[in-house]
Amino acid sequence: MADQVADMSGDDRAKRIAELKAKMQAAAQKAKAAAEHAPEQPATQTKPQQPAPVAEAVQEAPRREVVAEAEKREGAPAGSSPTNGASGNGAAAKAEVLSAEKVATPAPAFVEESPEEKARKEMNRREFLTYAWGGLLGLVTLQSAVGLFLFMMPRFKEGEFGGIFRIGPESSLPPTDAPPKAETAGKFWLVNTTEEGPVALYMVCTHLGCLYKWEQANNRFECPCHGSKFTREGYYIEGPAPRSLDRFEITVEEGEVLVNTGRRILGAPAAESPARAVPA
Ligand code: FES
């Protein structure tokens, strides 16, 4: 085409050159328009890939060092790839690089415990269980001891119903033929008898719980509720009461008479009473 333009005359050459310029401008505009209308690449495809070269470089750095060291040992030039080595040393260097990469690969997270470690952990667990059971047993024992102590200790004060009543020396007891003496705080009648000594009779009737009274004229106890009657010593005589009068434990300690209102002794059945008016 250059030879054809050179053979042309002056006017034809100028005309031809103008045509070529117009074609070139048209082609340039067409290429520009195509570039402007071409679809843009999504930003999400490029942005996440930016750190990749850096990460690859970081991961590749130890590998390069290993390759360089292997090639140096084998006589190959440092920095060249193990695949394009000049001699058969390249294969050896490549194998060494692969083995080095395998060694450099981190081991899995699971590490089996040694028997000593297992035994030590087992011992710790046993010690913990031993101490736990020991502490629990000690706690139960302590609780039982406290409960027993509270059960055995006197729960009533002396001189109030349920506790101990100090009557005094035996010489201070009323005569055996004297009327019973009421001890209202202790809820008992104190009677001094010839055969049994001092006796403390519970003031409550054994039938339905009324408070019986001493009838001096009849020389006996009589219940106003249903008419049960008892001797001066508390034995059943007659009436609906099922048994003789109840008594409290009475003792003599160092010459002093004590009545324990916390310990009640039930009277014998009415049928066994020696004072029963109508024999069974
Ligand atoms: Fe005393 Fe019934 S309550 S006889």
Side-chain angles (χ1 to χ4, degrees):
M1 182 176 289
D3 296 335
Q4 292 177 358
V5 174
D7 294 337
M8 289 180 181
S9 62
D11 292 337
D12 293 334
R13 185 191 309 168
K15 190 177 179 181
R16 182 59 177 165
I17 291 172
E19 289 177 357
L20 292 174
K21 284 184 177 179
K23 285 184 178 179
M24 290 175 63
Q25 288 177 354
Q29 289 178 356
K30 190 176 180 181
K32 185 178 179 181
E36 288 177 355
H37 290 86
E40 295 181 357
Q41 293 292 332
T44 54
Q45 293 181 357
T46 56
K47 286 185 179 179
Q49 295 175 356
Q50 287 179 359
V54 178
E56 290 177 358
V58 172
Q59 294 177 356
E60 187 68 16
R63 186 172 180 273
R64 286 178 180 170
E65 292 178 3
V66 174
V67 170
E69 188 177 350
E71 290 178 345
K72 188 177 179 181
R73 240 184 290 131
E74 295 295 336
S80 64
S81 172
T83 57
N84 58 359
S87 65
N89 295 333
K94 186 177 180 180
E96 187 169 356
V97 168
L98 293 175
S99 64
E101 286 178 347
K102 288 182 180 177
V103 172
T105 303
F110 174 74
V111 178
E112 188 177 1
E113 295 178 339
S114 63
E116 293 77 10
E117 184 69 16
K118 288 182 179 178
R120 189 176 64 80
K121 287 187 177 180
E122 181 69 18
M123 185 60 69
N124 290 339
R125 188 159 51 243
R126 286 182 182 175
E127 288 178 356
F128 171 77
L129 291 176
T130 301
Y131 291 143
W133 277 112
L136 183 63
L137 186 62
L139 189 64
V140 171
T141 304
L142 179 64
Q143 192 174 18
S144 301
V146 171
L148 183 63
F149 173 76
L150 293 177
F151 175 77
M152 296 187 68
M153 72 176 297
R155 285 172 289 178
F156 300 97
K157 295 179 180 178
E158 189 174 289
E160 67 179 22
F161 184 71
I164 300 293
F165 279 77
R166 296 182 179 276
I167 305 302
E170 288 183 277
S171 57
S172 67
L173 290 174
T176 53
D177 57 349
K181 179 183 176 183
E183 185 66 57
T184 53
K187 300 181 183 180
F188 63 88
W189 292 92
L190 181 63
V191 184
N192 195 7
T193 66
T194 304
E195 297 181 352
E196 303 178 64
V199 172
L201 301 174
Y202 187 32
M203 282 184 169
V204 177
C205 179
T206 55
H207 180 217
L208 293 178
C210 288
L211 296 179
Y212 58 84
K213 298 179 180 177
W214 173 251
E215 294 294 337
Q216 182 63 37
N218 299 326
N219 195 33
R220 64 187 183 191
F221 294 110
E222 295 180 0
C223 182
C225 293
H226 308 100
S228 293
K229 300 174 177 61
F230 308 92
T231 66
R232 183 173 175 271
E233 294 78 17
Y235 292 113
Y236 169 87
I237 298 175
E238 63 181 12
R243 64 180 188 269
S244 298
L245 296 177
D246 297 337
R247 299 181 178 187
F248 289 125
E249 183 184 77
I250 187 167
T251 56
V252 179
E253 295 183 4
E254 298 178 355
E256 186 179 21
V257 180
L258 305 178
V259 176
N260 185 0
T261 57
R263 296 197 62 180
R264 184 156 57 102
I265 304 169
L266 299 180
E272 299 176 6
S273 174
R276 186 183 176 90
V278 179

